[in-house]
Amino acid sequence: MTRGGTAHRAYSVVVFVVLASLDNVAIGLVPPLYGSIGDAFGVGEGHIALATTIMFLISAVAAIGFAYAGDRTDRKPVLIVGTLIWIAGTVWSGLAGGYPSFLISQVVAAFGLGAVASVSFAVVSDLISPKRRGLVMSFWGLSQGVGTLAGTLLGGLLGHTDWREPFLVTAVAGGVATVAYLFTYNVPRGDSQPELAGVEYDERIHHDHLPLILRRRTNVWLILQGGTAQIALGSLVWLPVLFRARAEDQGYTAGTAVLVGSVFATLFQLGGALSILGGLIGDRLQRRTPRGRALVASVGVLAAVPFYVVLFFVPMRIDVPDGAGTGAVIAAVLADVFTEPTVGLCLATAVFALMLTSANSPNWFALIADVNPPEHRGTVYSLGNLVNGFGRAGGNVMVAVAFRGLAGAFPPPLNYAVGLAAFQLFWIPTGVMFWLASRTVARDMADTHTALLARAARLDDGPDRDVGGDPPVTVEGLAAQQDPGPGR
């Protein structure tokens, strides 16, 4: 495998995608096990949900520090340190002997998790050409969604008899991924940026760059949209609880209900795999207009709202063998998809809703790379992730409070259905902010494009030059070009 060649780059992207998925596995483990962990420590589900909330917040805050360090220094050691910290915290979580110990271990894991996504994002954006950003970033976003699903499934399958086992298995997987990471390509900053072709570019972020970042109006909307989007997404971590409550309402025992909830929640989130379509459509439309990616994301999240609302209220009849083994319950759930019309309808609705909202993720990632120079991308991503973390944590807390309040008026599982449906309305301001971003992205792309050309000219000690013969600040040309050329 030639160092920096096509195969080495592809290997590096795969490893970064796996790392990004594993940090979401660690986050997704806990919600299916709220009841089991709470019973083991003698506390209520709300106490364990608090650990998840704190995890969201700590990882989001820590990401800013790690991202800034990555944008200032060599990114590889920063990512390794962060990964080792979250592995240690995850092992500790699986071995915790009481609630205080478990809570502290989740804080440690969350701190390390802050490094993984923010630093990896900056590296991947340098590995991938602008023309393919939407597609590759759809795999990046998909990996995070799949990671959450895998965590949900792992928590239910391995944790329904022993809640500690999923944490230890995840930590081992993290260790394997860390070893694989040691052999990835240490990509130079701006390596795939067409304006910097043939130039050794090593610009670093400085503390006084924050006002410049925020003067790009598109950044403001991209950062803020995550607050409301993550409130809606944060509520969806309660999907296993909704389906568990439905199973219990139909008379199933607690152990079987936990397993049913995890499997159904995993199945119903398969629509996230279709984020690839959102990335492809964003790439195609972006070649026609700089507004393309932002408009795809805006339309997607707004169109999904009614489908989410329908999903939570469609009646669903569960038919699985109560008290049977894991394999038998999974087989029965899969059979229900084809033999129980209500289950099939729920699955189709969920897949379509998640397909629409999944257009958000790849286009958000690609837009950050489009409007920012390489040395700012990790920090901008982490600022967005900070708002995401507060939104997701807030959504998690607000949903728990809403469920308790609604329980007085609606018995389970109806209280969960009403609460989840109401929280999907937060997608509306998210869609509006993407539309606002679509109005400013052309100017911000052109400004960044021009600035990179000027820096390249200075570094090359030659006259200003452009890529592919396009005028340097022509917006239409900027949207259509950005081809890195052979070998990049």
Side-chain angles (χ1 to χ4, degrees):
M1 190 163 56
T2 305
R3 181 175 177 81
T6 302
H8 198 192
R9 286 168 175 270
Y11 167 81
S12 301
V13 170
V14 170
V15 171
F16 285 122
V17 166
V18 170
L19 281 170
S21 68
L22 283 174
D23 72 342
N24 283 271
V25 170
I27 292 174
L29 288 178
V30 182
L33 303 173
Y34 282 165
S36 302
I37 300 174
D39 291 343
F41 294 148
V43 298
E45 288 189 358
H47 288 79
I48 309 303
L50 176 63
T52 302
T53 301
I54 292 175
M55 196 173 194
F56 290 149
L57 295 177
I58 295 294
S59 64
V61 173
I64 295 180
F66 280 116
Y68 185 79
D71 284 343
R72 285 280 297 167
T73 62
D74 186 356
R75 295 176 290 204
K76 204 161 194 174
V78 174
L79 188 54
I80 290 175
V81 169
T83 302
L84 292 177
I85 291 172
W86 84 252
I87 290 173
T90 302
V91 171
W92 184 358
S93 298
L95 301 177
Y99 177 68
S101 177
F102 178 79
L103 188 60
I104 295 172
S105 70
Q106 289 285 283
V107 169
V108 172
F111 182 78
L113 287 172
V116 178
S118 58
V119 179
S120 296
F121 169 79
V123 176
V124 171
S125 71
D126 283 333
L127 277 167
I128 304 304
S129 70
K131 275 191 173 182
R132 301 176 182 88
R133 274 180 186 149
L135 175 60
V136 176
M137 289 303 179
S138 69
F139 286 106
W140 175 267
L142 176 61
S143 74
Q144 299 188 29
V146 169
T148 302
L149 290 180
T152 299
L153 189 59
L154 195 64
L157 295 183
L158 297 182
H160 76 286
T161 55
D162 180 6
W163 67 265
R164 299 178 186 274
E165 190 173 347
F167 292 95
L168 302 179
V169 170
T170 301
V172 171
V176 173
T178 303
V179 173
Y181 171 64
L182 295 175
F183 302 98
T184 58
Y185 176 47
N186 197 11
V187 57
R189 282 181 178 81
D191 193 54
S192 66
Q193 200 66 33
E195 298 92 336
L196 305 175
V199 173
E200 187 175 336
Y201 182 85
D202 196 30
E203 291 286 333
R204 306 296 175 98
I205 194 172
H206 297 282
H207 67 276
D208 57 350
H209 285 189
L210 182 60
L212 176 62
I213 287 172
L214 296 180
R215 277 202 299 271
R216 298 186 193 108
R217 188 59 60 86
T218 307
N219 280 339
V220 174
W221 297 124
L222 293 177
I223 291 168
L224 292 180
Q225 64 80 31
T228 52
Q230 293 296 326
I231 289 176
L233 286 173
S235 70
L236 294 180
V237 303
W238 287 79
L239 270 177
V241 180
L242 168 65
F243 295 122
R244 184 196 72 191
R246 284 184 170 180
E248 289 176 340
D249 187 56
Q250 295 181 32
Y252 289 97
T253 56
T256 299
V258 168
L259 188 55
V260 167
S262 296
V263 176
F264 269 124
T266 302
L267 279 178
F268 287 0
Q269 294 188 64
L270 291 177
L274 298 175
S275 64
I276 295 171
L277 293 178
L280 283 170
I281 295 170
D283 278 349
R284 181 175 292 274
L285 192 57
Q286 189 73 9
R287 294 184 191 123
R288 298 184 179 183
T289 169
R291 301 183 67 187
R293 300 193 205 280
L295 288 175
V296 169
S298 178
V299 171
V301 297
L302 290 173
V305 173
F307 292 97
Y308 274 119
V309 174
V310 169
L311 167 64
F312 302 125
F313 291 102
V314 172
M316 187 176 73
R317 182 178 179 276
I318 301 167
D319 184 13
V320 301
D322 195 14
T326 299
V329 172
I330 292 176
V333 169
L334 293 175
D336 281 352
V337 173
F338 301 100
T339 60
E340 292 291 340
T342 56
V343 173
L345 178 60
C346 280
L347 178 60
T349 304
V351 167
F352 195 69
L354 283 159
M355 177 191 72
L356 291 170
T357 52
S358 293
N360 171 336
S361 176
N363 290 294
W364 183 71
F365 293 133
L367 281 165
I368 289 175
D370 285 343
V371 302
N372 291 285
E375 69 273 17
H376 288 174
R377 290 171 187 166
T379 299
V380 175
Y381 173 91
S382 69
L383 290 171
N385 199 46
L386 176 65
V387 174
N388 289 354
F390 276 96
R392 195 168 188 182
N396 201 35
V397 170
M398 288 189 289
V399 170
V401 172
F403 287 161
R404 285 196 297 270
L406 290 168
F410 306 101
L414 187 56
N415 64 317
Y416 296 119
V418 172
L420 283 169
F423 274 85
Q424 303 320 299
L425 298 178
F426 283 97
W427 285 116
I428 295 174
T430 299
V432 171
M433 282 186 271
F434 268 114
W435 178 77
L436 291 170
S438 77
R439 301 185 62 180
T440 59
V441 66
R443 181 183 67 246
D444 290 336
M445 282 181 65
D447 288 348
T448 299
H449 177 66
T450 304
L452 288 175
L453 287 173
R455 291 178 192 174
R458 288 197 301 270
L459 291 170
D460 201 32
D461 195 26
D464 282 358
R465 58 196 176 86
D466 201 355
V467 180
D470 291 326
V473 295
T474 299
V475 171
E476 292 79 4
L478 180 60
Q481 59 98 12
Q482 301 182 14
D483 190 348
R488 289 177 69 87

